[in-house]
Amino acid sequence: NAGVTQTPKFQVLKTGQSMTLQCAQDMNHNSMYWYRQDPGMGLRLIYYSASEGTTDKGEVPNGYNVSRLNKREFSLRLESAAPSQTSVYFCASRSSTYLYSNQPQHFGDGTRLSIL
Amino acid sequence: QQPVQSPQAVILREGEDAVINCSSSKALYSVHWYRQKHGEAPIFLMILLKGGEQKGHDKISASFNEKKQQSSLYLTASQLSYSGTYFCGTPDGYGGATNKLIFGTGTLLAVQP
């Protein structure tokens, strides 16, 4: 059972470089999310996709773009990486479209990104 | 707006109890609880829906009081395996038409032998 798969697991970039973080889920979930986690800040929502074909901004979208390629895949792109984007990035997915239902979010193992 | 968790950190001995609180300045319709061990992904614990229900999972239970806009997670007779960071998540929107789950800053729980 793969669940939510993120690639790569680790990456080091130089300031100004671009990069795409990949996320795929095999649970036929409708909704997918990208979070970043920094010490003392918890999990902050960058972008999310309630269903295939839709994307919306979260709490901290500046400097990022996303693509919901199909129902399985949701990618996060850094066009011009900055040191402030050094973080651990988590992708998550969820079955239901609305948060009223008792469906949990399933997280990938994370991508540890360092920008020098 | 991020829910506020308290305390920020707690250290326990095995067998002791702990309570972690999660408060929101906005009306709550549901609260999610997750636990994350160091270097790992967050793992789902439970969801509480509007109605003041209390749920349990082994010796971990939670309550949800929508009038007070808060939820509490109760860890009873803590075990070493309970160590980690606990996050609450709340929907950011009104009614059911939202899919944004916003997490608190977390509570670090360390259980010592």
Side-chain angles (χ1 to χ4, degrees):
Chain A
N1 294 333
V4 180
T5 303
Q6 290 184 237
T7 55
K9 295 191 185 306
F10 302 93
Q11 184 70 46
V12 179
L13 293 178
K14 293 182 179 179
T15 297
Q17 286 185 317
S18 62
M19 163 147 203
T20 300
L21 307 186
Q22 306 287 351
C23 175
Q25 52 90 10
D26 62 1
M27 296 174 282
N28 200 36
H29 284 174
N30 292 315
S31 304
M32 298 185 73
Y33 307 79
W34 276 105
Y35 292 90
R36 60 176 290 175
Q37 186 172 35
D38 304 295
M41 302 293 289
L43 292 155
R44 292 185 292 170
L45 183 64
I46 306 172
Y47 271 95
Y48 68 104
S49 171
S51 60
E52 186 178 357
T54 68
T55 60
D56 283 290
K57 295 179 180 180
E59 301 169 272
V60 289
N62 291 343
Y64 304 95
N65 286 303
V66 291
S67 295
R68 183 73 182 267
L69 304 170
N70 46 56
K71 193 171 185 179
R72 288 187 65 248
E73 298 171 288
F74 189 38
S75 63
L76 178 72
R77 183 161 178 85
L78 288 72
E79 291 291 351
S80 179
S84 61
Q85 294 177 305
T86 292
S87 187
V88 181
Y89 291 85
F90 285 100
C91 177
S93 71
R94 184 169 181 270
S95 176
S96 297
T97 303
Y98 295 121
L99 275 171
Y100 265 14
S101 68
N102 58 347
Q103 298 298 319
Q105 286 191 187
H106 298 262
F107 286 83
D109 289 335
T111 294
R112 284 144 186 84
L113 183 63
S114 292
I115 299 163
L116 307 176
Chain B
Q1 190 168 358
Q2 259 184 326
V4 177
Q5 289 186 233
S6 63
Q8 289 187 326
V10 59
I11 300 174
L12 299 172
R13 296 281 184 191
E14 266 188 299
E16 291 181 340
D17 302 339
V19 180
I20 299 172
N21 299 304
C22 174
S23 299
S24 174
S25 59
K26 302 169 73 169
L28 287 179
Y29 296 91
S30 64
V31 177
H32 295 221
W33 284 99
Y34 292 77
R35 176 173 63 206
Q36 182 182 31
K37 293 190 177 290
H38 184 68
E40 299 181 5
I43 299 297
F44 169 74
L45 291 176
M46 65 187 76
I47 294 175
L48 295 100
L49 302 177
K50 190 175 180 180
E53 65 179 282
Q54 187 159 348
K55 297 185 71 172
H57 177 74
D58 195 10
K59 293 182 180 177
I60 300 176
S61 62
S63 63
F64 176 31
N65 188 324
E66 67 262 29
K67 285 186 179 179
K68 293 185 178 180
Q69 297 172 192
Q70 67 183 35
S71 176
S72 296
L73 188 71
Y74 307 95
L75 297 99
T76 306
S78 57
Q79 306 167 16
L80 294 175
S81 62
Y82 287 2
S83 294
T85 301
Y86 289 78
F87 293 99
C88 68
T90 60
D92 183 43
Y94 295 100
T98 178
N99 204 27
K100 290 171 64 173
L101 187 63
I102 304 298
F103 286 93
T105 53
T107 295
L108 179 63
L109 179 75
V111 181
Q112 298 178 341

